[in-house]
Each structure stands twice: as structure tokens, then as C-alpha cells.
Amino acid sequence: MARSVIVDYDAGNLRSVQRACREVGLDAVISSDPQVVARAERVIFPGVGQAGSAMVTLRRTGLDVALRHAIDAGTPMLGICLGLQISLERSEEGDTACLGLMPGRVRRFALDDPRLKVPHMGWNEVRVVQPHPVLDGIEAGDEFYFVHAYYPDPATTAAVLAVADYEREFCCALGLGNYVGVQFHTEKSGRVGLDLIARFAAWDGRFQPPQETAC
Amino acid sequence: MLSKRLIACLDVREGKLAKSVRFVDTQDIGDPVEKAREYYADGLDELVFYDITASSDKRRILLEFVEAVAAEVFIPLSVGGGVRSVSDATDLRLAGAEKINVNSAAVQRPDLISECAHAIGAQNVVLSMDVLRVPVSDATPSGYEIVINGGRTRMGVDALAWAQRGEELGAGELVVNSIDADGTREGYELNLTRLIADAVRIPVIASGGAGVPEHLHAVLTEGHADAALVASMVHFGDYTCSGLKRYLHAQGVKMRMRW
């Protein structure tokens, strides 16, 4: 039976994501089986760690192909932190070729102010710049918990759903079709983070940026 | 920009919440899981769970506490006390801790920091340092010395040098705990906090001595700390997490105000 799956590829602690899912009533299994991921009803793709070693594991296990199948099948997918980053085409972290589920690249923070620390770690405000069913309900002043040195830079601005500010604005949530990704740890962001997971759990996987449907 | 963080520390001893005054005469003041739940609902930004007994036979108790808290509290959870190896760290991570605090064992064997950083990611390794004010000497040019075993053993290691070494070895964050100020409620050691915060490029959490909200304001501004750790202030009911955050926000400190 198809079910919600948290992708396990030896990249960090997935049980905190599972606990947060359980808290909002989403019963998600942790699996490293490509068959299970490819046939999932919805996919959560989290992760912390290093892009290069994550990609090695994904290729070795066949999870790279399974994730591609899931995206092509229209399965709602939520990337979190490293999971989001390696969903793009290429990362500056070790100049790594990534999955390419989403067009765009991952860049390292290059900040002018020497007092600003990298990784960007802590609570920061997330500002929605494009309505999306999964982000619907985030209000001005809502903060999420971040831990990262790299950030996503999607190929089209139409895919940028939300931004945060760290010396300058960066994309912290992006989405296209049945894929949505967040740079922050929504599972560790209190009520606002749990609400986001609950909305993902209810999402049918459909989204078209208004710019593309306008004409 | 990032908000400053309010962090509450729960010292656990044999399953009970404890609070020490200058690291002696601990007293039990309640159920830590209940306190964690209460602080989370009241806007706390991060929780530190410290097992002050931390002997090997008590580790199971600590892991069960971490699991119980992690099932209900969805903010970063940092755990320490008796972490001596990578397997201690990974056990705690599996139980639900985001970050692992290392302290005494790292002073005795600094490679523990790099081993943990490699295994669980540098950003998840917190070097917690207990610091005693001492006369300036060749061994302690900063006038601050590292102590271990809950403040009982002086190590002849300079605190500033140790903070920088910890950063080099891969610590993602520092907790700077003043033994002199701990439990006094007379204020954080501002000089010590600023000295270290200005010398490293990783976040510094000030610990020890908070008694009134003005102390938090001082350490987050003049003290250059990224986060303020409280214990007694909130454990005994004198202040609430939300009340402290509202005060700091009103003073112009950027805080997370919606939860």
C-alpha cells in the first residue's frame, strides 16, 4: 500500500522529522528502499550533512532514480534543508552534481560583515513572496529555525516561494509542480513549523506559479 | 536577521529537575518533562538538558527523558552530561537531541570534539565550558581558567585559548558558563562573555548568573552573546519565558515573538 515515506540515506537524524509528522497526524515511515520511495503516496526528503557524501549514498542505493520516479509521477514531495539543496542541479559545496529534480543551484553564503557567522544558525523571519498551499498561513513575523551555510538559488524567480534576510535576502522556500522545499528545519520550528507539515500532509501536489498561468 | 535566543537549561539528577548554586547544594524542583512542555508552549527558543549525575548506570534514564521531551517539544534540543564518545553522542541524537554538549571529557581529550563534529556535523556539537576567574598568569593570560567535573577540578587551561581551540576542532557553538556567577542571580560575567564572543566566529551562549531581565539584556548587548541561558529565573516561577522575551523585545533586542 502506498504511504508517506521519509527518505533515509544516512543523512542525519530522521526521527525528529518523523516525530513532527506524527504530531500533526501524518503517519510516515522511514525507508531507504527505492521501491518504497518510488511508490510513496507522499515523500519527505530531509537531511543534514554534506552534499557530496549524500549524493554518493543516493546513487549507490538507487534512491536517486526512485526520487526522480516519484517527482515524475506527481507525488507531493517536501525537501528539507540538505534534502532541498541536493534536489537542485548543482551545489557549490564540493562542486557537487546533484539530483536536478528542480532547476537551480546551491550557493554558499558570501557575506561582507565579518561579524555575521556562517553557518546561519538560529531563528529568522520567513517572508512569503508567492502564495503556495503549503506556506499558506505563515504570517508576518513568523520565524523558523535555520542551520545552514549554503542556500538554494532556483533557476527561475517564479519558483521562489519565500525569502529570509541574512545581510541580504536569500530564497528559503521554493516550489514547482509537485515539489516544495524549505531550507529551514520546519520540524524544529515550533507550532508554525508543525503547521507547515500539516499543510503538506493535506496538499494534493498541485501548484502552478501565477506568472506562468497568467498568459 | 537572526533573533537572539532564550535558552532554558534543565539540570536533571536522577530523573528530577535540579538547580545548583555555585555547583553545590542542588535541590530538586520538579519534573523536567513537565517543565520542558511548559517552556515550549510559552515561547522558549531552545532547550538544554543536562544530566548532572551522568554516570554510566544512569544513562538509560537520560535517554528516556530525551525521548519523552523530543516527542512533545519541537524546538532545538541540546543534551549533555557525561558525553565521552561518539557513541554517547549518537545515542542521544537517536533519542531526539539536536545538539550534543561536550564538556569535561573534551578538556581531557580534545579530539572528542573533532570526532563528534565528523560524526554528527559541526553545527550540532556544542562545547560547554565551565570557567573560573583567576589571577592572570602564564598559564592563564586571559585571567580565566577552565574547570571540570562540575567546577571541582581546575585544569590549568586558559579559557580564551580553549574557546579558540574548540572552534578549530569543530565545535559549532560555545556555552560559556561562569562558575563565579552561577546561581548567584547577580548577573552574567559580561567581561568573560564578550572576551570569548569577540574571539570566535561561532555563536556564544552566555550562562550563569541571570537573576533579573536586565541581566539578559546586558549580556545580549554589551556581552555580545548570541543567546542567553536561564535556569533559576524560570524554574522557580519568578519569571516566564514569554515575559522575558517581551521585555527584551521592548528593549529593542530582536527576539522571536510569535509561537
Side-chain angles (χ1 to χ4, degrees):
Chain A
M1 194 186 86
R3 54 205 309 193
S4 295
V5 176
I6 298 168
V7 184
D8 179 6
Y9 57 109
D10 291 334
N13 187 358
L14 306 179
R15 285 175 61 187
S16 57
V17 174
Q18 189 181 38
R19 272 185 282 258
C21 289
R22 194 174 296 147
E23 180 72 7
V24 300
L26 177 63
D27 183 22
V29 295
I30 294 174
S31 178
S32 57
D33 182 344
Q35 299 286 337
V36 172
V37 171
R39 292 178 195 158
E41 183 186 322
R42 63 186 71 241
V43 172
I44 299 168
F45 185 30
V48 291
Q50 206 253 338
S53 56
M55 284 307 303
V56 168
T57 306
L58 288 171
R59 291 209 183 89
R60 178 172 47 75
T61 54
L63 282 167
D64 57 340
V65 177
L67 285 160
R68 165 55 64 191
H69 274 302
I71 275 291
D72 291 347
T75 310
M77 189 180 297
L78 173 63
I80 302 174
C81 198
L82 181 67
L84 158 61
Q85 293 182 359
I86 57 180
S87 297
L88 295 168
E89 291 162 310
R90 195 158 197 97
S91 174
E92 283 184 4
E93 187 177 18
D95 192 22
T96 304
C98 297
L99 292 169
L101 304 177
M102 293 280 294
R105 302 172 82 84
V106 177
R107 305 192 189 279
R108 187 176 169 87
F109 278 117
L111 305 173
D112 297 328
D113 185 345
R115 289 167 306 177
L116 288 180
K117 293 159 183 178
V118 176
H120 168 242
M121 175 163 71
W123 296 84
N124 205 338
E125 185 174 345
V126 167
R127 195 160 56 83
V128 177
V129 293
Q130 186 175 178
H132 186 283
V134 175
L135 302 189
D136 181 32
I138 297 177
E139 295 180 23
D142 282 347
E143 298 186 22
F144 289 76
Y145 187 75
F146 289 84
V147 185
H148 63 126
Y150 296 81
Y151 63 92
D153 183 14
T156 66
T157 52
V160 178
L161 302 180
V163 295
D165 182 61
Y166 197 50
E167 191 172 86
R168 60 195 66 134
E169 238 172 41
F170 66 93
C171 169
C172 68
L174 57 85
L176 206 58
N178 51 315
Y179 185 94
V180 62
V182 294
Q183 179 56 62
F184 44 83
H185 285 276
T186 196
E187 77 280 11
K188 286 285 173 182
S189 295
R191 175 49 52 193
V192 295
L194 294 176
D195 287 348
L196 188 151
I197 297 173
R199 287 188 299 267
F200 173 72
W203 181 43
D204 63 4
R206 267 181 262 170
F207 171 67
Q208 280 299 322
Q211 288 91 329
E212 294 187 2
T213 52
C215 54
Chain B
M1 296 308 292
L2 286 173
S3 291
K4 300 284 187 179
R5 285 172 281 159
L6 178 70
I7 302 178
C9 180
L10 298 170
D11 283 343
V12 179
R13 190 176 57 167
E14 289 164 17
K16 291 276 176 52
L17 179 59
K19 178 58 207 159
S20 64
V21 177
R22 288 193 179 143
F23 282 25
V24 292
D25 295 327
T26 55
Q27 59 182 123
D28 293 340
I29 57 171
D31 171 9
V33 180
E34 180 55 42
K35 284 285 181 190
R37 196 184 289 138
E38 177 191 323
Y39 298 160
Y40 168 62
D42 196 36
L44 185 73
D45 297 315
E46 191 165 328
L47 194 60
V48 181
F49 224 21
Y50 225 77
D51 185 354
I52 60 176
T53 41
S55 56
S56 53
D57 56 320
K58 301 280 166 46
R59 291 209 72 78
R60 192 61 241 165
I61 297 176
L62 176 63
L63 291 173
E64 283 167 12
F65 268 116
V66 174
E67 287 200 16
V69 172
E72 299 185 54
V73 172
F74 299 96
I75 52 176
L77 181 59
S78 182
V79 181
V83 174
R84 312 204 144 268
S85 65
V86 165
S87 76
D88 289 341
T90 50
D91 285 352
L92 288 166
R93 290 263 299 164
L94 269 180
E98 205 70 23
K99 305 181 186 179
I100 303 301
N101 286 50
V102 295
N103 190 336
S104 300
V107 182
Q108 291 161 321
R109 196 174 67 80
D111 285 346
L112 177 63
I113 300 171
S114 41
E115 289 165 14
C116 286
H118 183 73
I120 66 170
Q123 70 279 4
N124 295 318
V125 179
V126 182
L127 175 60
S128 191
M129 29 196 284
D130 293 329
V131 180
L132 188 67
R133 191 165 46 223
V134 295
V136 171
S137 71
D138 288 348
T140 54
S142 71
Y144 292 100
E145 181 175 347
I146 294 295
V147 294
I148 64 166
N149 296 329
R152 289 187 293 273
T153 312
R154 292 176 60 170
M155 297 302 287
V157 173
D158 184 77
L160 180 58
W162 176 235
Q164 292 172 316
R165 178 93 197 280
E167 181 183 20
E168 277 167 29
L169 288 168
E173 203 163 37
L174 298 175
V175 174
V176 179
N177 185 47
S178 164
I179 298 292
D180 304 289
D182 186 64
T184 63
R185 297 189 177 218
E186 289 167 7
Y188 295 96
E189 241 271 33
L190 294 184
N191 182 54
L192 167 68
T193 309
R194 186 174 46 236
L195 182 74
I196 291 179
D198 290 351
V200 297
R201 295 284 319 270
I202 51 180
V204 166
I205 301 165
S207 165
V212 293
E214 288 78 4
H215 293 154
L216 280 74
H217 181 253
V219 86
L220 293 172
T221 54
E222 293 165 59
H224 298 180
D226 297 278
L229 188 145
V230 293
S232 320
M233 281 182 84
V234 291
H235 296 339
F236 296 110
D238 300 337
Y239 298 94
T240 62
C241 297
S242 57
L244 290 172
K245 291 181 69 166
R246 272 198 300 273
Y247 166 81
L248 291 164
H249 177 70
Q251 297 298 309
V253 178
K254 190 173 182 312
M255 303 296 293
R256 177 177 69 111
M257 294 309 296
R258 292 171 55 84
W259 52 82

